[in-house]
Short mmCIF file of all heavy atoms in Angstrom, two decimals:
data_model
loop_
_atom_site.label_atom_id
_atom_site.label_comp_id
_atom_site.label_asym_id
_atom_site.label_seq_id
_atom_site.Cartn_x
_atom_site.Cartn_y
_atom_site.Cartn_z
N ASN A 71 -5.90 22.56 -19.27
CA ASN A 71 -5.89 23.46 -18.08
C ASN A 71 -6.97 24.44 -18.28
O ASN A 71 -7.22 24.87 -19.39
CB ASN A 71 -4.44 23.95 -17.83
CG ASN A 71 -3.45 22.96 -17.75
OD1 ASN A 71 -3.79 21.88 -17.22
ND2 ASN A 71 -2.33 23.19 -18.13
N PHE A 72 -7.41 25.02 -17.07
CA PHE A 72 -8.37 26.04 -17.09
C PHE A 72 -7.94 27.19 -16.22
O PHE A 72 -7.65 26.92 -14.99
CB PHE A 72 -9.77 25.51 -16.53
CG PHE A 72 -10.36 24.38 -17.41
CD1 PHE A 72 -9.98 23.08 -17.17
CD2 PHE A 72 -11.15 24.69 -18.48
CE1 PHE A 72 -10.53 22.00 -17.89
CE2 PHE A 72 -11.73 23.63 -19.19
CZ PHE A 72 -11.38 22.24 -19.02
N CYS A 73 -8.28 28.40 -16.67
CA CYS A 73 -7.97 29.64 -15.80
C CYS A 73 -9.22 29.90 -15.25
O CYS A 73 -10.30 30.15 -15.92
CB CYS A 73 -7.51 30.83 -16.71
SG CYS A 73 -6.01 30.52 -17.55
N VAL A 74 -9.35 30.03 -13.84
CA VAL A 74 -10.61 30.17 -13.24
C VAL A 74 -10.32 31.43 -12.12
O VAL A 74 -9.25 31.59 -11.72
CB VAL A 74 -11.19 28.97 -12.47
CG1 VAL A 74 -11.53 27.94 -13.62
CG2 VAL A 74 -10.21 28.39 -11.60
N ASP A 75 -11.52 31.99 -11.75
CA ASP A 75 -11.47 33.16 -10.78
C ASP A 75 -11.12 32.57 -9.43
O ASP A 75 -11.94 31.70 -8.82
CB ASP A 75 -12.77 33.69 -10.96
CG ASP A 75 -12.87 35.04 -10.04
OD1 ASP A 75 -12.01 35.34 -9.13
OD2 ASP A 75 -13.87 35.78 -10.14
N PRO A 76 -10.12 32.98 -8.75
CA PRO A 76 -9.71 32.44 -7.41
C PRO A 76 -10.76 32.86 -6.35
O PRO A 76 -10.77 32.26 -5.22
CB PRO A 76 -8.35 33.04 -7.14
CG PRO A 76 -8.32 34.19 -7.93
CD PRO A 76 -9.05 33.94 -9.19
N GLU A 77 -11.60 33.71 -6.63
CA GLU A 77 -12.58 34.15 -5.56
C GLU A 77 -13.89 33.36 -5.60
O GLU A 77 -14.77 33.49 -4.71
CB GLU A 77 -12.88 35.66 -5.74
CG GLU A 77 -11.68 36.59 -5.53
CD GLU A 77 -11.93 37.92 -5.56
OE1 GLU A 77 -13.05 38.45 -5.36
OE2 GLU A 77 -10.92 38.81 -5.72
N LEU A 78 -14.07 32.50 -6.56
CA LEU A 78 -15.26 31.68 -6.59
C LEU A 78 -15.33 30.64 -5.66
O LEU A 78 -14.28 29.98 -5.30
CB LEU A 78 -15.46 31.03 -8.11
CG LEU A 78 -15.71 32.03 -9.19
CD1 LEU A 78 -15.76 31.21 -10.55
CD2 LEU A 78 -17.05 32.76 -9.05
N ARG A 79 -16.35 30.28 -4.96
CA ARG A 79 -16.49 29.41 -3.88
C ARG A 79 -16.04 28.01 -4.37
O ARG A 79 -15.34 27.29 -3.62
CB ARG A 79 -17.88 29.36 -3.29
CG ARG A 79 -18.14 28.37 -2.27
CD ARG A 79 -17.39 28.82 -1.00
NE ARG A 79 -17.63 27.87 0.07
CZ ARG A 79 -17.12 27.84 1.34
NH1 ARG A 79 -16.44 29.01 1.60
NH2 ARG A 79 -17.39 26.95 2.12
N TRP A 80 -16.52 27.50 -5.45
CA TRP A 80 -16.27 26.15 -5.98
C TRP A 80 -14.71 25.95 -6.29
O TRP A 80 -14.12 24.84 -6.04
CB TRP A 80 -17.03 25.78 -7.21
CG TRP A 80 -16.72 26.40 -8.49
CD1 TRP A 80 -17.23 27.50 -9.06
CD2 TRP A 80 -15.68 25.89 -9.37
NE1 TRP A 80 -16.68 27.71 -10.37
CE2 TRP A 80 -15.73 26.86 -10.49
CE3 TRP A 80 -14.73 24.92 -9.44
CZ2 TRP A 80 -14.87 26.66 -11.40
CZ3 TRP A 80 -13.83 24.77 -10.49
CH2 TRP A 80 -13.93 25.64 -11.53
N VAL A 81 -13.97 27.17 -6.57
CA VAL A 81 -12.52 27.04 -6.87
C VAL A 81 -11.77 26.91 -5.58
O VAL A 81 -10.97 26.03 -5.40
CB VAL A 81 -11.98 28.23 -7.55
CG1 VAL A 81 -10.52 28.42 -7.73
CG2 VAL A 81 -12.75 28.37 -8.98
N THR A 82 -12.30 27.70 -4.46
CA THR A 82 -11.56 27.48 -3.18
C THR A 82 -11.85 26.09 -2.58
O THR A 82 -11.04 25.59 -1.96
CB THR A 82 -11.96 28.67 -2.24
OG1 THR A 82 -13.38 28.71 -2.03
CG2 THR A 82 -11.43 29.97 -2.72
N ASP A 83 -13.04 25.61 -2.76
CA ASP A 83 -13.43 24.31 -2.23
C ASP A 83 -12.58 23.21 -2.89
O ASP A 83 -12.11 22.32 -2.18
CB ASP A 83 -14.94 23.98 -2.49
CG ASP A 83 -15.86 24.71 -1.60
OD1 ASP A 83 -15.25 25.38 -0.53
OD2 ASP A 83 -17.03 24.75 -1.88
N ALA A 84 -12.34 23.43 -4.26
CA ALA A 84 -11.43 22.36 -4.99
C ALA A 84 -10.06 22.35 -4.52
O ALA A 84 -9.45 21.37 -4.42
CB ALA A 84 -11.66 22.70 -6.51
#
Side-chain angles (χ1 to χ4, degrees):
N71 298 328
F72 297 89
C73 297
V74 294
D75 185 346
E77 295 185 19
L78 294 176
R79 178 70 181 184
W80 73 265
V81 174
T82 57
D83 289 345

